[in-house]
Amino acid sequence: MIESLSAAEQWNQSNLGFTSSLSMKEFKEGSINLDGKDHVEVFRVLSENIVEILFVNLAVLADECMGQLITEAGVFPPNYLTNKVEWVKSKVDGKYEWAANGVLELCALRNAVVHNGGKINESVIKVLEKAGVNDARIGHKVSLSFGDIFRYRRALRTVIGELQKLKKDSWII
């Protein structure tokens, strides 16, 4: 495995534009455990982890974009992404409720991945219920796909687009 990881370092060349204070280290046997018995299993674990990272980053982008757009509208944004989405959901046209609900699902799934080892818990269910989802089960281990990233990205883009249409003086606070 060490040979594969070392080879992977050559896939992309690093060019940070500055000299990093972090030194390069060689991989040591046992320093990375992918919990796989063969290359198929290792790829499965890696791809699941990559999807989770991208999904969590999508939630971070959602939080930042919505916070900025709410601020630009002259309103002090709520602290948490879920609260931002609930607030935006109350302001956008009802025909885009599907998108706001999708972003609420994004919040819930992000919380499951980040705070509960990828499993649905009571707090995740509470957020899902705000999105109209009533069939989630406590303890279910969430498995995300690349397709999920694109579906939730579409919902986020729609919500952001609708938020951008709202004029500062048309907010109902």
Side-chain angles (χ1 to χ4, degrees):
M1 179 183 331
I2 296 301
E3 297 82 23
S4 296
L5 292 172
S6 296
E9 285 186 308
Q10 302 307 311
W11 293 350
N12 310 66
Q13 294 301 312
S14 176
N15 184 350
L16 304 177
F18 62 92
T19 303
S20 175
S21 60
L22 302 175
S23 61
M24 294 294 294
K25 299 277 186 177
E26 295 293 321
F27 288 107
K28 294 179 185 174
E29 194 65 48
S31 65
I32 297 176
N33 182 1
L34 298 173
D35 295 328
K37 295 171 183 48
D38 57 33
H39 72 280
V40 173
E41 181 68 12
V42 168
F43 179 76
R44 184 190 63 75
V45 170
L46 280 174
S47 64
E48 287 174 2
N49 288 324
I50 290 168
V51 169
E52 285 183 359
I53 289 168
L54 292 172
F55 198 84
V56 169
N57 282 325
L58 182 61
V60 170
L61 288 171
D63 193 14
E64 290 300 315
C65 290
M66 282 199 240
Q68 181 65 38
L69 290 169
I70 293 169
T71 299
E72 288 175 7
V75 177
F76 189 76
N79 259 353
Y80 299 106
L81 177 58
T82 301
N83 301 114
K84 287 176 181 127
V85 179
E86 290 175 304
W87 187 86
V88 170
K89 182 179 173 179
S90 74
K91 308 295 183 218
V92 298
D93 189 311
K95 68 182 177 181
Y96 298 107
E97 183 177 8
W98 67 268
N101 286 338
V103 180
L104 282 170
E105 290 178 21
L106 169 70
C107 297
L109 291 166
R110 176 249 177 231
N111 291 347
V113 168
V114 170
H115 298 297
N116 202 39
K119 292 183 181 174
I120 293 176
N121 61 14
E122 190 62 42
S123 65
V124 169
I125 287 178
K126 286 179 183 176
V127 176
L128 289 171
E129 286 173 347
K130 293 174 184 181
V133 175
N134 297 308
D135 60 349
R137 297 179 324 270
I138 290 179
H140 177 80
K141 175 76 166 118
V142 172
S143 178
L144 297 166
S145 71
F146 281 102
D148 292 328
I149 294 169
F150 290 103
R151 289 185 317 121
Y152 287 101
R153 179 179 157 262
R154 177 176 174 245
L156 175 60
R157 287 182 61 175
T158 300
V159 165
I160 288 173
E162 289 307 301
L163 184 53
Q164 289 173 323
K165 289 179 187 177
L166 299 174
K167 300 288 182 218
K168 190 175 188 174
D169 55 8
S170 70
W171 291 103
I172 302 170
I173 301 172

